Amino acid sequence: MSRRVVGVTLDNLDHLPRRCRRCVFWELAPHVREQAEEFGETELEKEAWVSSVLLEWGSCGRIVYVDGVPAGYAMYAPPAAVPRSNAFPTAPVSADAVLLTALRVLPEFEHGGLGRILVQNVAKDLTRRGVKAVEAFGDLAGSAESCVIPAGFLQQVGFKTVRQHPKWPRMRLELRTAISWKEDVEAALERLLSSVTIKTAEPAIGGA
């Protein structure tokens, strides 16, 4: 079984689950979302949002494939690019954090660790870009139809509650805690090897 994680682009946006491809819960303010749903324009709005964030900020999602089949995805962006985030009672998101808006693994691929793989890939991408933390609003009800990530899952992958709420706690993951020990060791070895200077023999002066 091969697993591959790639960034979300306009070319693979249609690989998102159908319901998620059409969902603009996070991407639009509530009243604008209602208008988009009324006129059946949610897919265009989703594509426009992804295009805008890619252009102005960079990568904003990850898709995981299992044997070439899309199995799950994660979406994230700066809070300023996520209008819905302001509607939560535990807002605002911290100034030094990026907001993880959505993460879903298809039912037939659940319980295989793909959710954790997605979180680790998001963490690696954001760490390279100098981001200190990821925050998310958790859903304590854990409804399968919710557009909000279950709080229980967020706890399992290392998020900690920074603002309590009976329904929508705001949770935070310091990015260093999301990087595996293997990557830490590899980074340490790379630093060590880069500090080693190899001395070469000086050429002899003169000839025989």
Side-chain angles (χ1 to χ4, degrees), residues 130-141:
V131 177
K132 293 183 178 180
V134 179
E135 292 191 358
F137 297 103
D139 177 11
L140 281 175

Side-chain angles (χ1 to χ4, degrees), residues 3-181:
R3 296 173 176 176
R4 180 171 60 98
V5 181
V6 303
V8 169
T9 67
L10 295 180
D11 290 334
N12 62 22
L13 189 59
D14 287 337
H15 291 179
L16 298 184
R18 188 64 178 166
R19 185 171 73 89
C20 302
R21 172 66 179 86
R22 295 180 294 181
C23 178
V24 287
F25 176 86
W26 290 103
E27 292 81 1
L28 300 178
H31 68 285
V32 180
R33 175 196 174 199
E34 290 175 5
Q35 293 175 359
E37 289 176 342
E38 181 181 351
F39 291 102
E41 298 176 345
T42 56
E43 288 194 38
L44 289 175
E45 293 286 355
K46 184 91 165 194
E47 183 174 330
W49 182 87
V50 170
S51 177
S52 174
V53 176
L54 284 171
L55 182 64
E56 297 177 12
W57 183 67
S59 180
C60 59
R62 288 288 183 269
I63 299 176
V64 60
Y65 296 84
V66 175
D67 294 335
V69 178
Y73 77 101
M75 299 294 291
Y76 50 97
V82 186
R84 184 70 184 216
S85 65
N86 296 322
F88 278 77
T90 47
V93 174
S94 301
D96 64 347
V98 162
L99 180 63
L100 178 66
T101 58
L103 191 150
R104 186 176 294 273
V105 174
L106 297 182
E108 58 267 37
F109 295 101
E110 288 180 349
H111 311 298
L114 296 184
R116 185 177 295 273
I117 288 173
L118 282 167
V119 170
Q120 289 178 336
N121 271 267
V122 170
K124 285 195 289 187
D125 174 48
L126 295 178
T127 298
R128 295 190 197 103
R129 295 157 70 177
V131 177
K132 293 183 178 180
V134 179
E135 292 191 358
F137 297 103
D139 177 11
L140 281 175
S143 169
E145 299 301 315
S146 175
C147 293
V148 184
I149 303 170
F153 168 78
L154 292 171
Q155 289 178 330
Q156 290 173 8
V157 295
F159 281 76
K160 296 181 179 179
T161 301
V162 291
R163 189 170 178 188
Q164 298 279 357
H165 189 269
K167 291 184 178 180
W168 317 113
R170 178 160 52 87
M171 306 176 74
R172 180 180 174 96
L173 177 68
E174 301 293 340
L175 287 182
R176 282 293 300 169
T177 66
I179 306 301
S180 72
W181 68 268

